Amino acid sequence: LAKTTQPISMDSYEGQEVNITCSHNNIATNDYITWYQQFPSQGPRFIIQGYKTKVTNEVASLFIPADRKSSTLSLPRVSLSDTAVYYCLVGRGAGYSTLTFGKGTMLLVSP
Amino acid sequence: DARVTQTPRHKVTEMGQEVTMRCQPILGHNTVFWYRQTMMQGLELLAYFRNRAPLDDSGMPKDRFSAEMPDATLATLKIQPSEPRDSAVYFCASARNGDPSYEQYFGPGTRLTVT
């Protein structure tokens, strides 16, 4: 399984754009890049997934450069409710193999 | 809105007692995961089932933990005997087999406290 590295924590203010970068130097050809969000006292929740270039949904955008050795989760105009832990995962789909959750990035959004 | 359910949500027990945690995966999902989360270790995979068969339980202490799927709608995780170091939040998650998406659907968790 590809190992990922992401910042332990980040701080932001309401209304700002937040970019969380994840490094995954040994990503394999068949690997997808997926991000999960976890609020306190809840299970992780899928946010977005991509393979290459850019993916956007109603919650976030995911930017993946051509070499795929890193990816950036972009949260536009964060609010207090975006305070959570964000996990970057790399590998094949959940239907094929297990996932390894690292320690994630604790994002704290302040007023 | 289909969800993974887990029972109980909270459990406080004394060291040495048996603990059973239950999970109902989303209907139609045939891949089930058990995770344990602590502040120190983060989210750890304990066991992984597909079509009710255990595929990987290498993350589970074999001497005291056991995981089963008696049927497609129920997964169980048992600890016998429980120890204080087992105190954690235990999550169950389910996914569709063959789905290239990494979307695992997590339950609300069981918070276990062993005194």
Side-chain angles (χ1 to χ4, degrees):
Chain A
L1 293 173
K3 177 178 167 58
T4 60
T5 303
Q6 51 183 124
I8 294 175
S9 64
M10 293 183 69
D11 296 321
S12 183
Y13 293 96
E14 283 189 292
Q16 291 190 332
E17 178 184 76
V18 171
N19 296 309
I20 306 174
T21 296
C22 178
S23 298
H24 28 79
N25 291 319
N26 60 338
I27 188 169
T29 302
N30 293 331
D31 286 345
Y32 286 79
I33 300 158
T34 311
W35 287 79
Y36 278 76
Q37 174 191 55
Q38 185 177 24
F39 297 114
S41 302
Q42 295 186 25
R45 182 175 73 105
F46 174 93
I47 302 177
I48 196 166
Q49 181 191 63
Y51 185 80
K52 61 181 179 181
T53 64
K54 176 183 174 183
V55 179
T56 297
N57 61 22
E58 65 278 5
V59 176
S61 294
L62 179 59
F63 298 92
I64 305 169
D67 66 5
R68 302 198 331 123
K69 293 184 183 300
S70 67
S71 58
T72 299
L73 174 72
S74 181
L75 304 172
R77 300 183 59 80
V78 294
S79 64
L80 298 178
S81 62
D82 292 317
T83 293
V85 178
Y86 293 82
Y87 298 95
C88 166
L89 296 95
V90 172
R92 293 190 70 191
Y96 293 104
S97 66
T98 59
L99 292 173
T100 299
F101 283 79
K103 294 296 179 67
T105 297
M106 175 65 218
L107 172 65
L108 176 62
V109 180
S110 301
Chain B
D1 186 22
R3 297 185 183 186
V4 174
T5 59
Q6 290 186 248
T7 56
R9 293 293 310 278
H10 302 273
K11 176 72 175 179
V12 179
T13 191
E14 292 183 347
M15 182 174 62
Q17 297 297 306
E18 177 179 298
V19 175
T20 298
M21 290 169 271
R22 294 176 174 82
C23 167
Q24 182 173 16
I26 292 173
L27 189 64
H29 285 192
N30 60 352
T31 306
V32 175
F33 305 83
W34 281 105
Y35 291 89
R36 175 173 63 184
Q37 187 170 39
T38 61
M39 288 293 292
M40 292 298 294
Q41 299 298 325
L43 202 57
E44 305 172 279
L45 179 68
L46 296 176
Y48 160 48
F49 289 78
R50 178 169 298 143
N51 295 323
R52 299 173 54 197
L55 293 189
D56 184 356
D57 60 1
S58 59
M60 210 162 60
K62 301 294 191 303
D63 57 337
R64 299 183 300 108
F65 285 59
S66 63
E68 297 179 343
M69 281 200 73
D71 61 61
T73 64
L74 177 64
T76 62
L77 180 66
K78 291 186 181 181
I79 308 174
Q80 170 61 21
S82 58
E83 297 181 1
R85 59 178 168 157
D86 301 328
S87 297
V89 180
Y90 291 81
F91 289 105
C92 172
S94 70
R96 280 191 299 268
N97 183 36
D99 188 343
S101 165
Y102 244 165
E103 188 160 6
Q104 290 187 20
Y105 294 80
F106 281 77
T110 294
R111 182 175 295 276
L112 174 65
T113 302
V114 183
T115 61

